[in-house]
């Protein structure tokens, strides 16, 4: 004959509750691990994009900057500036502009890595719901 929950001893009910809570927290830990793994993958992707962008920027910009400095210096010489001064001014102007672009790209990559993007909202929400359910059980 099957026993209903109302005729089960309190120790059996408490044991079942403890078992259910234990299983629930094991599942929450599994969820947290999965979500943490997902966030690590996002951070790795952002880091990879930063590295690739940096390497390409160094190579491509080196050649372009040399040509840009030479062209700007030639323009300044044609405007009457001395060759040494024109080379100096051209190099400073190009450095300032490219430095600004590089700063913007690095800032964007760092923004992708901010901690608020790596939080585990789903796990935290699920654990809060589970804690509320456990409180209601008692």
């Amino acid at each position: 004959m099957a026993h209903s929950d109302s005729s089960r001893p309190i120790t059996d009910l408490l044991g079942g509750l403890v078992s259910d809570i234990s299983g629930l927290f094991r599942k929450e830990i599994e969820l947290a691990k999965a979500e943490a793994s997902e966030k690590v993958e996002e951070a790795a992707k952002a880091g990879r994009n930063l590295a690739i962008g940096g390497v390409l920027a160094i190579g491509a910009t080196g050649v372009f900057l040399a040509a840009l400095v030479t062209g700007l210096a030639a323009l300044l010489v044609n405007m009457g500036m001395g060759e040494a001064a024109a080379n100096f001014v051209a190099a400073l102007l190009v450095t300032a502009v490219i430095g600004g672009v590089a700063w913007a790209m690095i800032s964007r990559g760092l923004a992708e890595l901010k901690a608020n993007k790596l939080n585990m909202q789903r796990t935290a929400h699920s654990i809060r719901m589970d804690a509320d359910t456990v409180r209601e059980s008692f």
Side-chain angles (χ1 to χ4, degrees):
M1 176 162 115
H3 295 304
S4 69
D5 282 347
S6 61
S7 66
R8 289 177 56 193
I10 191 77
T11 55
D12 287 351
L13 292 174
L14 286 176
L17 180 61
V18 168
S19 175
D20 289 346
I21 291 172
S22 174
L24 177 66
F25 282 107
R26 273 193 301 268
K27 293 289 184 188
E28 292 299 335
I29 290 171
E30 289 175 21
L31 175 63
K33 286 179 183 178
E35 193 169 0
S37 174
E38 179 182 304
K39 297 302 178 179
V40 167
E41 287 177 22
E42 288 179 18
K45 181 180 176 184
R48 185 182 72 236
N49 288 339
L50 279 171
I52 291 170
V55 168
L56 292 176
I58 290 169
T61 332
V63 174
F64 175 73
L65 294 178
L68 193 58
V69 168
T70 302
L72 186 56
L75 179 67
L76 292 173
V77 167
N78 284 339
M79 294 174 66
M81 189 178 280
E83 190 174 334
N87 284 332
F88 178 74
V89 170
L92 282 179
L93 288 173
V94 169
T95 299
V97 170
I98 297 303
V101 171
W103 178 80
M105 295 301 293
I106 290 169
S107 294
R108 182 187 300 173
L110 291 175
E112 291 178 7
L113 291 174
K114 277 191 174 179
N116 65 357
K117 208 171 180 187
L118 299 176
N119 62 10
M120 298 189 312
Q121 294 175 355
R122 292 177 295 189
T123 300
H125 176 70
S126 181
I127 288 174
R128 276 193 298 270
M129 287 178 51
D130 294 342
D132 291 343
T133 302
V134 170
R135 272 189 237 121
E136 289 174 7
S137 297
F138 290 108

